[in-house]
Structures are given as C-alpha cells and as structure tokens.
Amino acid sequence: MTVLYSTRVTAAGGRQGWIRSDDGLLDLKLALPQPLGGKGGATNPEQLFAGGYAACFENALLRVARQAGHRFGDDDIRVVAEVGLSRNPADAFVLSVALAVTIRGIGLQTADALVRAADAICPYSNAIRGNVDVAKIVSID
C-alpha cells in the first residue's frame, strides 16, 4: 500500500507534558482535564482526537457528497465530535465517540446515506471501527 501522507509528532511528559510535530506546526502543552483531577488550562488528547475526527469526517462527507452530485458551502455542513473517556469492566480506559452531523439543504434520508458513505471512507472511522463505540446523530437544517 502506498502511503499518501505521513507525519511525526513527539510527546513527552504524558498528559501533563507537550506534543510537537517535526515541522513545528503543532507545538502544544497538554494538561490533565479538571474532571480527571488535573488543573486544566491546556488541551488534552481527547480534544485533539475529537478535532481530528470531526475535520476528517467532514472532509469525507464533502467528498461523497460531491461524488453524489451535491455541492455544499462551508457553512452547509457541521460535524461536532464528542469524545468520552471511561473505564470498561476490566478497569481499562476506553474511548467513546458521538458524531453530530448537520447538513443544510437536503432531506434526512439523503443526509443519512451521505453520512453512511462518509463513515465508510473516513480514515478515523476505519481506524476505530469495532474498537470504539461511535454514535452518529444526523440532522438537517
């Protein structure tokens, strides 16, 4: 398989450390969220995952929509990813995701079909399928 893009990010200090990409474009301090007993005040891995998943899923949605003959403006599609951190019965940490997708200008049946198609090609969806519970809530505007 040909790799289309690759990036490297270094982490140090765990959840209260930092992350930095090799090109320096990503350079962030991390903080343990207050609900987990930390001080907060900086981003955390769950926020970064939620942002990446939302952006990637929206791009997949734009692609399948375009292939289906739909054209959307920047404000016509909104994807909100909510990432939860909890523990399973074995006391291991697990993630859950809820994707709230709103699409303007089409019917709900079409929106559902586009979201299913986007889910099939989104690399984040493909990476976590079968490992992370993902709820998808589709609405139209």
Side-chain angles (χ1 to χ4, degrees):
M1 179 176 2
T2 302
V3 175
L4 300 174
Y5 172 73
S6 177
T7 186
R8 285 174 47 127
V9 176
T10 301
R15 287 181 164 272
Q16 299 181 83
W18 53 267
I19 57 173
R20 186 172 303 121
S21 62
D22 281 357
D23 62 8
L25 294 175
L26 179 67
D27 189 356
L28 298 172
K29 291 172 63 175
L30 301 175
L32 190 63
Q34 288 179 341
L36 296 178
K39 295 180 182 178
T43 194
N44 60 67
E46 290 73 30
Q47 287 177 328
L48 294 168
F49 185 78
Y53 197 174
C56 189
F57 195 88
E58 182 178 9
N59 199 69
L61 188 54
L62 287 167
R63 181 178 182 176
V64 298
R66 192 171 46 253
Q67 289 171 339
H70 300 283
R71 298 282 185 254
F72 294 106
D74 289 344
D75 294 332
D76 292 336
I77 296 178
R78 180 170 307 258
V79 177
V80 177
E82 181 177 344
V83 173
L85 179 67
S86 55
R87 290 184 187 257
N88 67 12
D91 206 34
F93 290 103
V94 295
L95 296 175
S96 61
V97 176
L99 293 177
V101 181
T102 304
I103 305 175
R104 181 181 298 153
I106 60 174
L108 188 55
Q109 196 170 27
T110 302
D112 280 331
L114 291 174
V115 167
R116 282 193 307 277
D119 187 53
I121 69 165
C122 175
Y124 277 71
S125 293
N126 288 327
I128 66 174
R129 187 171 288 112
N131 297 311
V132 175
D133 289 331
V134 180
K136 290 172 216 66
I137 302 100
V138 180
S139 59
I140 55 174
D141 190 12

